[in-house]
């Protein structure tokens, strides 16, 4: 239970559960299509793998002090335009995904595509990592994505910053969204984050969804 609004808390996941969907009868054709999709996704998800050149033992947790993740095309484009547009960063890792909306090709050239999550390391400080995740991560793939990424990093002293966007029309406020100056920035933080935030906190009843929330 959150001690204040805006705190990020861990809650049981009900991803994929929908009573209306469960109550609806499936035809034999629907069941066959669903089985084939699940089978294909299961086979492809087995390839979801984080490869980062750490320079040390592959089995040791990656030493990381700051990890910045840009989720969505707008956030990824922001990183490209204002942070990565210099020679201070190098590509050190990649995660490939496959689902109904995001299909990884067999190409070996690592480029920012809709099927890749790219990882960058700051050359002057190798403990600072960035991740561009412009591809769609399905609900039943989010835990595996988090497990792969954060399972390879040390947890002690790690500060994680998530950048994501949503339409202004989805922002809940008493004033008209037509009069809002956009884009604007709001923040959520955990109780462990003791530093001063760089922007106002997100007001009730706005929430964060999908992979940023996970």
């Amino acid at each position: 239970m959150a001690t204040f609004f805006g705190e990020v808390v861990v809650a049981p996941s009900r991803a994929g559960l929908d009573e209306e969907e469960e109550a609806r009868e499936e035809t034999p054709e629907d069941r066959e299509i669903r089985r084939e999709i699940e089978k294909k996704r299961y086979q492809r998800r087995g390839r979801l793998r984080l490869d980062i050149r750490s320079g040390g033992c592959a089995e040791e947790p990656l030493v990381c002090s700051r990890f910045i993740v840009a989720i969505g095309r707008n956030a990824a484009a922001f990183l490209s335009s204002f942070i990565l547009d210099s020679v201070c960063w190098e590509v050190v890792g990649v995660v490939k995904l496959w689902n109904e909306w995001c299909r990884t090709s067999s190409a070996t050239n690592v480029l920012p595509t809709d099927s890749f999550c790219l990882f960058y390391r700051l050359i002057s400080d190798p403990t600072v990592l960035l991740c561009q995740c412009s591809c769609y991560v399905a609900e039943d793939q989010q835990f595996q994505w988090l497990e792969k990424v954060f399972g390879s990093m040390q947890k002690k002293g790690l500060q994680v910053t998530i950048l994501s966007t949503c339409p202004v029309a989805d922002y809940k406020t008493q004033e008209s969204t037509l009069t809002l100056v956009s884009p604007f920035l709001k923040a959520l933080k955990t109780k462990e984050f003791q530093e001063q935030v760089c922007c106002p906190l997100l007001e009730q009843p706005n929430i964060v969804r999908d992979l940023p929330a996970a």
Side-chain angles (χ1 to χ4, degrees):
M1 183 174 181
T3 56
F4 63 92
F5 177 78
E7 179 185 357
V8 180
V9 296
V10 178
S13 174
R14 293 179 55 84
L17 296 181
D18 190 321
E19 294 180 359
E20 294 182 0
E21 290 291 334
E22 291 177 349
R24 186 180 64 184
E25 286 191 22
E26 285 185 319
T27 65
E29 292 80 7
D30 291 337
R31 286 193 293 269
E32 181 63 25
I33 293 173
R34 180 170 55 81
R35 280 195 297 266
E36 289 299 319
I37 291 177
E38 289 178 351
K39 179 181 178 182
K40 194 169 186 179
R41 289 180 66 175
Y42 177 78
Q43 293 172 347
R44 297 278 184 161
R45 283 189 302 168
R47 301 180 187 177
L48 194 156
R49 179 180 175 185
L50 172 63
D51 294 315
I52 293 184
R53 300 193 299 270
S54 61
C57 178
E59 296 181 357
E60 294 181 357
L62 185 67
V63 177
C64 183
S65 60
R66 292 179 180 265
F67 183 42
I68 303 174
V69 187
I71 300 176
R73 294 185 178 182
N74 291 333
F78 175 82
L79 278 189
S80 296
S81 300
F82 296 100
I83 298 180
L84 293 173
D85 190 19
S86 67
V87 295
C88 301
W89 303 87
E90 60 176 347
V91 177
V92 293
V94 61
V95 166
K96 295 183 179 182
L97 293 171
W98 191 100
N99 53 53
E100 293 88 302
W101 301 272
C102 165
R103 306 193 176 189
T104 299
S105 66
S106 58
T108 57
N109 189 22
V110 179
L111 293 173
T113 69
D114 291 341
S115 301
F116 289 90
C117 295
L118 287 181
F119 292 80
Y120 299 82
R121 180 168 57 199
L122 185 62
I123 296 177
S124 59
D125 185 357
T127 66
V128 178
L129 294 179
L130 298 181
C131 174
Q132 278 184 305
C133 183
S134 58
C135 56
Y136 173 77
V137 182
E139 288 183 349
D140 61 343
Q141 293 176 315
Q142 292 174 8
F143 176 77
Q144 187 187 26
W145 193 94
L146 295 169
E147 191 177 45
K148 290 288 185 181
V149 173
F150 289 98
S152 63
M153 299 180 182
Q154 67 172 15
K155 307 299 188 299
K156 186 177 181 180
L158 174 61
Q159 183 181 107
V160 180
T161 303
I162 308 295
L163 302 177
S164 65
T165 60
C166 69
V168 175
D170 293 343
Y171 180 65
K172 297 176 178 60
T173 177
Q174 293 183 348
E175 58 182 300
S176 172
T177 56
L178 297 177
T179 62
L180 292 175
V181 179
S182 60
F184 56 88
L185 188 65
K186 299 287 183 176
L188 292 177
K189 68 183 185 70
T190 62
K191 60 184 179 181
E192 287 81 10
F193 186 83
Q194 301 298 326
E195 299 180 18
Q196 184 177 359
V197 294
C198 62
C199 61
L201 295 178
L202 188 65
E203 308 92 339
Q204 298 187 46
N206 296 284
I207 60 174
V208 176
R209 299 179 175 86
D210 301 322
L211 186 60

